[in-house]
Structures are given as structure tokens and as C-alpha cells.
Amino acid sequence: MSGQSPSFADLRDRSVSGVAMAAIGIAAVWAGGLWFTVLVCALCGLMVWELTRMLDKDAPRGKAEAAGLTAAVALLVFWVQLAGGWLLGVLALSVFLLAWRFPKDRGIAAAYLALILFAGLGLIALRDSFGWVWVLWLVLLVIGSDVAGYFAGRLLGGPKLWPRVSPKKTWSGTVAGWVLAAAIGAAFMPALGAGAGLVAVSVLVAMAGQAGDIAESAIKRHAGVKDSSALIPGHGGVMDRFDAMIAAALIMLILTEVGVIARLLS
């Protein structure tokens, strides 16, 4: 039998891209500080660029690039210069101003822009305030629940979670993701110095990640596109890779702001 199987035709590109992303991500998380902050801001800017291209197909040349660059620079400058309520308020104003430029789908744009920028803030704050082990826990939660869902969904099958929006996702895969998230939370309790509540928080964060995946699928279906862009060979766009991560990071920002994480460590 000659030729490569179509289902594995992009395996080389996916593997090379995956290794490159992992190497850059691990190095930035380990280094922390400005290195990690700049990487997060750049990724957020690229996601804003992708969102603009998807929801405003008739935009004049350069609008998507300008929106992405504005979002990345704003997030970086605000994080360096502001703190507390001022930071959250100015970031919310930035979301409003960016969304206002969308001629239609303004509500969808505003919601997802808020997700991107506040999630970026959450990731930076998590690394700066709690250290790299917390970021590792978050990454493993998102990846682990996704992998568990993938294999459980295909091995066990069963009812679909939301076939109209994400036809491949099953309830069996979704619950498997929660179970693995609970196990990861229990395993990280000693390393993070957290109480048993970390198990429940881990499941909640995994749920948020799954919701983020579905939200991006809904936007792509609404926009009539398969991938958010073609920036990452074999993987699609930045949003395609980080949709679950940004939703999980947003929940972590909320949990931190309301004091849940502090209570876990007390």
C-alpha cells in the first residue's frame, strides 16, 4: 500500500509545531517575569487578530493587525503600569473600545475579547503571584482533561454533549475530563501546599476549559470557518490551541480575586 494515510498527512507538521510551542512555553513559564508576560501578551494579540478576521471579513486591510497589536501592547503596558481595580477597569474599557469597531456581531466580539484579555491578565498574575508550579498545574489540567475526553469519547461513545455546536464531543468524554482533573488536583496538593478543596477547584477549571473549547467552536461555526487561522502548521490558529486555556485562566483570575485560592493555601 503506497502513500501516507490521509488522517496522518499532517503528522509531521503537527509534531514539529507542537515541539516548538512546548519548548517556547516551558522556557517562558520557567523564566517568568517579563519573558512570560511578553509571550502571553503576544498570544493574546494574535488571538484578537484572528477574532477580528473571523468576525469582520470585510474589514479594511490592516484592521485586524492593528487590533491585535493594540490589544497586545495595551495588556503589556497596563500590567506594568497599573494594579488592582485600575487595571481591571482600564482593561474593561479597552475591550469596549475594541469591540465598538466591529460593524456587526459586536456582542460576540466583546465577550470573546474580554475572555482573551482578562485570561491573559489571569495567566500573568498566576505566574507572578503564585509561581511556575501553579501554571504547570493549570496547563496539565487543560491538556489532561482534553486528552481524557478524546480517548473516552472514542472508546466509550454515547450521547453527544452539544451536537449542533461541537458534534464530536460526548458526555462520556466530558465526564472523563472531570475525573482526570480531580486526580491531577489531588496529585498537586502537596506541591502547591493546598487543601482538599484543590480537587473541586481543579474540576471547575477543567469545566471552564471545556466550555472555552465549545465557545470557540460556536464562533467558528458562526463565522463559517474551520480554523481560526493558519498560523500554526498542522494545528490551525492560536485560538484553536488556546481556547480552553484562556477560559481556564479566566476562571483562575476570578477565583483569585474572590479569595478562593488564598483560602486553599491557608
Side-chain angles (χ1 to χ4, degrees):
M1 185 175 181
S2 61
Q4 191 178 33
S5 171
S7 59
F8 295 99
D10 63 348
L11 181 59
R12 180 179 176 278
D13 288 342
R14 288 179 64 86
S15 299
V16 172
S17 300
V19 170
M21 286 189 294
I24 294 170
I26 290 170
V29 170
W30 179 262
L34 189 61
W35 291 104
F36 184 71
T37 300
V38 168
L39 176 62
V40 171
C41 292
L43 291 174
C44 288
L46 290 172
M47 284 187 275
V48 171
W49 172 73
E50 291 175 341
L51 182 68
T52 304
R53 291 175 72 245
M54 284 194 292
L55 295 182
D56 191 3
K57 295 184 176 67
D58 300 323
R61 185 176 179 84
K63 178 180 177 180
E65 288 78 1
L69 182 61
T70 299
V73 172
L75 183 57
L76 177 60
V77 171
F78 295 158
W79 173 254
V80 172
Q81 298 293 332
L82 301 174
W86 281 105
L87 176 59
L88 297 177
V90 173
L91 207 58
L93 178 61
S94 300
V95 169
F96 173 79
L97 294 175
L98 284 168
W100 189 256
R101 299 187 63 194
F102 283 77
K104 57 181 181 178
D105 296 325
R106 196 168 288 158
I108 297 174
Y112 212 86
L113 284 167
L115 171 60
I116 292 170
L117 294 184
F118 281 98
L121 175 63
L123 276 173
I124 297 168
L126 182 66
R127 176 62 182 88
D128 284 2
S129 301
F130 296 100
W132 68 271
V133 181
W134 276 90
V135 179
L136 176 63
W137 162 80
L138 183 67
V139 171
L140 289 179
L141 276 182
V142 172
I143 294 175
S145 61
D146 182 59
V147 171
Y150 176 87
F151 283 104
R154 278 152 184 76
L155 292 174
L156 302 177
K160 301 294 184 181
L161 178 65
W162 197 349
R164 190 168 66 86
V165 174
S166 189
K168 293 183 179 179
K169 284 186 169 37
T170 62
W171 273 105
S172 60
T174 301
V175 174
W178 301 343
V179 172
L180 185 58
I184 291 172
F188 267 81
M189 282 169 53
L192 298 177
L198 184 66
V199 175
V201 168
S202 297
V203 175
L204 178 61
V205 170
M207 288 179 175
Q210 293 167 338
D213 190 7
I214 292 172
E216 199 233 358
S217 295
I219 289 177
K220 289 192 296 186
R221 186 173 291 270
H222 175 76
V225 298
K226 180 178 180 293
D227 297 317
S228 58
S229 75
L231 280 178
I232 308 173
H235 290 268
V238 178
M239 278 174 59
D240 297 321
R241 292 303 92 204
F242 293 94
D243 50 3
M245 180 63 69
I246 58 175
L250 178 62
I251 287 297
M252 277 301 296
L253 176 64
I254 295 171
L255 294 176
T256 301
E257 289 297 317
V258 300
V260 171
I261 304 304
R263 286 195 292 273
L264 283 178
L265 298 174
S266 61

